[in-house]
């Protein structure tokens, strides 16, 4: 019912009247699935989304009615199996964040030992892969598949972007921001935040790290893995399994102060890692891993510049205006794809008084001058840019598209940034590029046709000698100019978030 009231707050009073009338008139035929919130699923459970529901269809509730598991409508047509904090309608967990289903009566959720979200074509969006007797939702917000005597599966072991009070977060888990760009993971003695500025595995850039302080307890090597937990006493703790004393405490504002509502931490789409508590009517911010805006991993987007002092956004390229949250469209790949090794399909921005917000966590090499640092990057086709500290001689190189740099009041910190040809030149040049493409294409076709023709002529003369054919078959491979590749890979986020809807 709370979700319904939430839905209602978004409507005007006339619509409200209409809906109330509709409800009054049609209550007897109101689809039963809409109101069928249960306290457990047994083996015959089956549900499909109700087409009339616009936001959330509750299916399973905890004993206090604080939490609800059900169908959440995403982007009008898509469906996520979600766990909501009912008073705030805030999703704490999604079963299938990477593979959304369709909001259609053909999508079903069944419990047959496994909790399975699938469609009639046999496509399984998500499954617990268990052989349990029932599904329950505990008053902690943990969804469990149980048998009479044991717990086979629990949602607490598969967090999305949020951890709630008393949920154990181990080193085999990760939190991922809703846009798929950022993740939180544990190391052997630290907690780290990572950015995926470049698609493909193992290319994450760490941008925040909190080492365990080991004040109340020390980490004993080989004594068990570490895990993190939001403690009801107002801190984010790290523990070593088998020892109840924390090896680390990151205090919230309400440290040692009891609060009535739920506590949670969440990895945000901007890469920050924030804590909140529920105050009865709203979530109150209680913790922030990164407190200075310019220290966020990419506050102003690709090729942005975060102003020292007030954190305002501009662009590294002083001829580009910072508009609608970006400087250049997001770029992908590297400069190696042309096959010539050192590829020159880029132009360069040079800027002084800039530094990388997370340079302390980056590798670097020492060079004798800025010029040498620049050359290291210029010659390397997987390098997107370099930042040099003239005082220390440290040269930091980036093997991913340039993100936001922080402005500093120190002229001796200098940056060199490659920009893909075509990126900043906007519409006119896109047209120009297409024109060039058409001309080049026509040329290639002409050369190809002429080639094939002369080849045939040559073969007719010689009969045999197939050695020359390779050259011709190889030619179609060279027809893809850079910008088109960009288009192909531009859906990195949507792949991360929802490889779906098909
Ligand atoms: C929802 O739609 C918006 C705009 O069409 C899109 O940018 C976003 O990626 C979509 N979200 C998901 C989860 O598919
Ligand atoms: C439950 O249903 C899913 C999807 O229809 C199926 O793949 C799975 O084998 C079933 N499990 C059992 C135990 O019947
Ligand atoms: C939650 O459930 C546990 C046992 O299942 C119980 O001991 C505890 O009091 C409950 N907490 C609340 C707030 O209802
Ligand atoms: C979290 O871990 C502790 C220590 O290993 C354990 O006692 C507790 O039951 C776990 N909590 C949950 C919800 O799994
Ligand atoms: C759950 O609801 C009960 C009563 O409805 C309330 O006292 C309690 O604080 C709530 N718990 C959480 C974690 O929100
Ligand atoms: C922020 O500071 C810059 C100069 O450092 C200035 O140009 C800009 O107007 C300031 N913006 C705001 C919103 O104060
Ligand atoms: C942009 O920066 C370059 C190099 O720092 C400088 O020479 C040029 O005058 C600047 N242009 C504008 C419009 O500020
Ligand atoms: C090129 O840059 C990448 C990433 O910065 C680095 O891993 C690689 O070793 C560099 N290659 C050479 C030949 O310097
Ligand atoms: C960089 O350092 C060198 C000597 O260490 C100095 O001569 C030069 O002026 C500095 N350049 C800048 C831009 O600060």
């Amino acid at each position: 019912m709370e979700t319904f009231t939430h839905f209602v707050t978004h409507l005007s009073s006339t619509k409200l009247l209409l809906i109330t009338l509709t409800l009054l008139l049609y209550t007897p035929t109101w689809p039963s699935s809409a109101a069928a919130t249960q306290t457990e699923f047994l083996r015959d459970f089956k549900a499909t989304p109700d087409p009339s529901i616009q936001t959330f269809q509750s299916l399973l509730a905890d004993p206090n009615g604080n939490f609800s598991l059900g169908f959440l409508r995403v982007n009008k047509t898509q469906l996520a199996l979600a766990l909501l904090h009912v008073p705030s309608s805030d999703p704490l967990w999604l079963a299938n964040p990477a593979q959304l289903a369709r909001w259609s009566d053909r999508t079903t959720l069944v419990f047959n030992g496994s909790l399975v979200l699938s469609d009639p074509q046999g496509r399984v969006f998500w499954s617990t892969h268990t052989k349990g007797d029932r599904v329950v939702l505990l008053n902690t917000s943990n969804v469990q598949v149980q048998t009479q005597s044991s717990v086979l599966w629990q949602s607490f072991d598969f967090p999305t972007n949020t951890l709630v009070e008393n949920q154990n977060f181990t080193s085999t888990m990760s939190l991922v921001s809703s846009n798929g760009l950022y993740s939180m993971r544990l190391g052997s003695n630290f907690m780290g935040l990572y950015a995926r500025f470049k698609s493909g595995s193992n290319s994450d850039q760490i941008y925040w790290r909190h080492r365990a302080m080991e004040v109340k307890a020390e980490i004993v090597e080989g004594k068990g893995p570490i895990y993190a937990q939001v403690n009801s006493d107002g801190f984010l703790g790290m523990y070593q399994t088998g020892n109840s004393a924390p090896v680390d405490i990151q205090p919230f504002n309400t440290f040692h102060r009891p609060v009535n509502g739920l506590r949670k931490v969440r990895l945000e789409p901007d890469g920050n890692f924030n804590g909140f508590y529920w105050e009865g009517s709203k979530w109150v911010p209680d913790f922030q891993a990164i407190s200075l805006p310019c220290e966020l991993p990419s506050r102003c987007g690709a090729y942005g510049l975060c102003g020292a002092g007030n954190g305002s956004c501009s662009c590294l390229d002083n001829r580009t205006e910072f508009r609608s949250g970006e400087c250049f469209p997001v770029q992908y790949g590297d400069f190696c794809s042309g096959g010539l090794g050192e590829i020159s399909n880029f132009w360069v921005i040079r800027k002084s008084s800039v530094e990388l917000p997370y340079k302390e966590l980056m590798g670097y090499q020492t060079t004798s001058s800025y010029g040498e640092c620049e050359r290291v990057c210029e010659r390397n086709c997987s390098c997107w840019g370099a930042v040099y500290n003239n005082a220390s001689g440290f040269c930091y190189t980036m093997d991913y598209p340039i993100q936001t740099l922080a402005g500093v009041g120190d002229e001796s910190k200098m940056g060199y940034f490659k920009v893909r040809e075509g990126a900043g030149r906007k519409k006119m040049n896109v047209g120009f590029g297409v024109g060039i493409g058409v001309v080049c294409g026509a040329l290639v076709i002409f050369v190809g046709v002429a080639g094939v023709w002369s080849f045939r002529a040559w073969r007719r003369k010689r009969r045999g000698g197939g050695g020359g054919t390779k050259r011709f078959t190889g030619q179609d491979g060279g027809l893809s100019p850079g910008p088109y590749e960009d288009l192909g890979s531009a859906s990195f986020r949507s792949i991360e978030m929802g490889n779906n809807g098909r």
Side-chain angles (χ1 to χ4, degrees):
M1 225 41 213
E2 281 85 347
T3 51
F4 178 64
T5 52
H6 176 75
F7 162 56
V8 161
T9 53
H10 293 286
L11 297 169
S12 67
S13 47
T14 20
K15 276 186 186 160
L16 196 66
L17 190 70
L18 256 169
I19 285 183
T20 317
L21 280 175
T22 320
L23 273 177
L24 285 175
L25 286 173
Y26 290 101
T27 302
T29 58
W30 190 249
S32 58
S33 63
T37 304
Q38 298 173 229
T39 53
E40 62 178 9
F41 298 160
L42 297 175
R43 272 196 172 235
D44 57 354
F45 174 81
K46 182 175 177 187
T48 56
D50 181 333
S52 69
I53 292 179
Q54 296 305 312
T55 52
F56 181 73
Q57 179 176 349
S58 174
L59 301 170
L60 182 69
D62 81 303
N64 297 331
N66 292 335
F67 307 106
S68 175
L69 179 74
F71 296 136
L72 180 69
R73 214 189 254 262
V74 179
N75 269 359
K76 295 207 169 81
T77 57
Q78 294 177 311
L79 177 152
L81 182 64
L83 181 95
L84 256 57
H85 175 252
V86 172
S88 63
S89 299
D90 188 22
L92 300 176
W93 178 75
L94 298 184
N96 56 326
Q99 252 207 328
L100 298 179
R102 286 174 66 90
W103 192 282
S104 110
D105 55 7
R106 299 165 70 76
T107 299
T108 56
L109 178 70
V110 299
F111 179 61
N112 61 1
S114 293
L115 197 55
V116 184
L117 186 66
S118 62
D119 71 14
Q121 283 79 48
R123 178 161 177 193
V124 173
F125 297 98
W126 175 80
S127 166
T128 58
H129 301 292
T130 47
K131 285 192 178 128
D133 297 329
R134 58 182 197 137
V135 182
V136 292
L137 175 46
L138 305 184
N139 63 14
T140 54
S141 84
N142 194 3
V143 181
Q144 292 188 333
V145 177
Q146 303 176 337
T147 60
Q148 297 301 335
S149 53
S150 62
V151 176
L152 300 182
W153 180 95
Q154 57 180 7
S155 61
F156 268 20
D157 291 342
F158 303 89
T160 311
N161 61 359
T162 304
L163 290 179
V164 299
E165 230 169 298
N166 300 320
Q167 178 172 1
N168 293 337
F169 181 81
T170 70
S171 54
T172 61
M173 301 175 186
S174 63
L175 295 185
V176 178
S177 63
S178 59
N179 54 12
L181 275 180
Y182 305 107
S183 62
M184 191 280 266
R185 300 196 290 269
L186 293 178
S188 58
N189 63 352
F190 67 91
M191 180 179 280
L193 299 180
Y194 301 81
R196 181 154 296 186
F197 292 137
K198 185 176 156 185
S199 51
S201 57
N202 305 326
S203 57
D204 288 5
Q205 170 68 54
I206 186 166
Y207 62 90
W208 179 87
R209 179 164 62 191
H210 179 82
R211 224 176 245 288
M213 302 292 274
E214 303 182 61
V215 173
K216 300 215 164 176
E218 287 194 2
I219 297 174
V220 186
E221 223 179 295
K223 200 75 185 293
I226 68 164
Y227 65 94
Q229 197 187 64
V230 174
N231 193 291
S232 317
D233 204 17
F235 63 90
L236 179 58
M238 278 193 264
Y239 302 81
Q240 187 166 29
T241 306
N243 187 351
S244 62
V247 297
D248 184 69
I249 285 175
Q250 292 180 73
F252 299 163
N253 296 339
T254 54
F255 185 48
H256 284 332
R257 269 200 282 141
V259 295
N260 280 327
L262 184 73
R263 293 182 186 276
K264 67 169 186 187
V265 289
R266 185 172 65 192
L267 186 58
E268 309 288 356
D270 67 0
N272 213 340
F273 186 45
N274 294 340
F276 306 86
Y277 68 89
W278 179 249
E279 177 260 3
S281 57
K282 62 177 189 294
W283 290 104
V284 179
D286 202 21
F287 169 76
Q288 211 171 27
I290 298 171
S291 48
L292 297 173
C294 291
E295 289 183 357
L296 289 170
S298 192
R299 176 174 147 79
C300 307
Y303 295 90
L305 179 62
C306 187
N310 60 16
S312 62
C313 285
S314 57
C315 292
L316 284 175
D317 178 24
N318 59 7
R319 296 161 306 174
T320 309
E321 226 183 301
F322 184 80
R323 256 184 315 202
S324 59
E326 65 176 21
C327 292
F328 300 133
V330 183
Q331 304 194 328
Y332 298 92
D334 55 28
F335 303 93
C336 304
S337 47
L340 293 173
E342 294 163 41
I343 279 301
S344 56
N345 57 344
F346 60 86
W347 52 284
V348 164
I349 301 172
R350 292 185 178 83
K351 180 113 188 144
S352 61
S353 308
V354 294
E355 75 179 359
L356 286 155
Y358 39 80
K359 64 176 191 310
E360 260 88 35
L361 300 168
M362 285 186 78
Y364 58 84
Q365 50 189 294
T366 310
T367 61
S368 59
S369 67
Y370 167 73
E372 198 188 321
C373 177
E374 188 173 306
R375 279 190 295 278
V376 165
C377 182
E378 187 181 15
R379 284 196 295 253
N380 186 335
C381 69
S382 58
C383 181
W384 279 84
V387 178
Y388 186 66
N389 181 341
N390 197 45
S392 64
F394 293 171
C395 174
Y396 304 89
T397 56
M398 286 155 280
D399 62 351
Y400 43 80
I402 306 305
Q403 303 297 316
T404 301
L405 276 285
V408 289
D410 181 353
E411 287 273 327
S412 74
K413 290 173 176 169
M414 295 168 280
Y416 165 86
F417 311 103
K418 295 178 185 173
V419 189
R420 273 212 168 182
E421 204 58 75
R425 307 282 154 96
K426 301 280 148 84
K427 272 164 200 152
M428 192 190 80
N429 277 18
V430 169
F432 181 68
V434 168
I436 291 272
V438 166
V439 170
C440 286
L443 237 144
V444 166
I445 289 168
F446 174 75
V447 168
V449 166
V452 168
W453 182 82
S454 54
F455 172 70
R456 286 208 178 131
W458 171 79
R459 201 166 57 172
R460 240 179 279 129
K461 268 189 196 162
R462 298 241 159 177
R463 303 212 155 257
T469 43
K470 260 184 206 143
R471 228 185 297 153
F472 294 97
T473 49
Q475 208 145 43
D476 0 338
L479 250 172
S480 62
Y484 297 99
E485 283 185 357
D486 281 358
L487 286 179
S489 54
S491 49
F492 162 55
R493 287 190 193 186
S494 49
I495 290 165
E496 286 284 327
M497 247 321 280
N499 193 354
N500 48 53
R502 263 165 258 145

